[in-house]
Amino acid sequence: MSERITVGQLYTGPVTPNLLNRTKQSETTTPERPFAQVLEDNLLKLSNHAAKRLEQRGIELKSEQMQQIGTALDKAAAKGAKESLILMQDMAFIVNVKNRTVVTAMDSESMKDNVFTQIDSAVIIS
């Protein structure tokens, strides 16, 4: 019993309980998310309205075009966009960035003399 105990110290010497040495869990690792959630977060979704507009206007999106829209959406999200206009070839899409959802879609004929409202950004895919 030759070790000295100071005020505010419960344990003598260099050994401390493991609880004091632990780092906060949120600092060391990110919580695991199920694969389905990760997949869903990275997919582009179509609202019912957008699906109807695509069908009415005869717009067919190929997987390559969906990937391009997804990439444009990632760029818009990186800049803090919330509602974005995405222009691609002769088509335009209004997209909710947070939900990764296409709200509406237009072809070149529908875009003529059209005003786009309630958007905070535009991405042009060339």
Side-chain angles (χ1 to χ4, degrees), residues 31 36-37 52 63-64 72 88 90:
Q37 181 68 36
K52 286 179 187 176
S63 62
E64 178 184 300
M88 180 173 65
D90 60 344

Side-chain angles (χ1 to χ4, degrees), residues 39-54:
L39 183 62
E40 184 176 314
D41 290 346
N42 290 322
L43 289 179
L44 186 63
K45 295 171 259 183
L46 296 173
S47 69
N48 289 335
H49 177 77
K52 286 179 187 176
R53 294 295 174 257
L54 287 169

Side-chain angles (χ1 to χ4, degrees), residues 24-108:
K24 293 180 182 176
Q25 186 177 9
S26 63
E27 291 176 354
T28 57
T29 60
T30 56
E32 294 284 327
R33 293 189 306 163
F35 176 74
Q37 181 68 36
V38 173
L39 183 62
E40 184 176 314
D41 290 346
N42 290 322
L43 289 179
L44 186 63
K45 295 171 259 183
L46 296 173
S47 69
N48 289 335
H49 177 77
K52 286 179 187 176
R53 294 295 174 257
L54 287 169
E55 185 179 328
Q56 286 174 348
R57 295 171 177 156
I59 301 171
E60 291 184 27
L61 293 175
K62 299 174 185 160
S63 62
E64 178 184 300
Q65 291 171 320
M66 293 289 276
Q67 287 176 347
Q68 289 176 329
I69 294 171
T71 302
L73 199 56
D74 293 337
K75 290 177 183 178
K79 297 286 186 175
K82 294 177 183 162
E83 295 285 332
S84 188
L85 168 68
I86 297 179
L87 298 171
M88 180 173 65
Q89 298 163 354
D90 60 344
M91 298 175 282
F93 305 94
I94 304 290
V95 182
N96 180 297
V97 176
K98 180 181 176 187
N99 298 332
R100 299 185 66 84
T101 303
V102 176
V103 177
T104 193
M106 291 160 270
D107 59 359
S108 59

Side-chain angles (χ1 to χ4, degrees), residues 3-17 20:
E3 294 181 17
R4 196 172 103 194
I5 297 178
T6 58
V7 176
Q9 182 178 358
L10 296 175
Y11 298 94
T12 60
V15 179
T16 58
L20 297 177

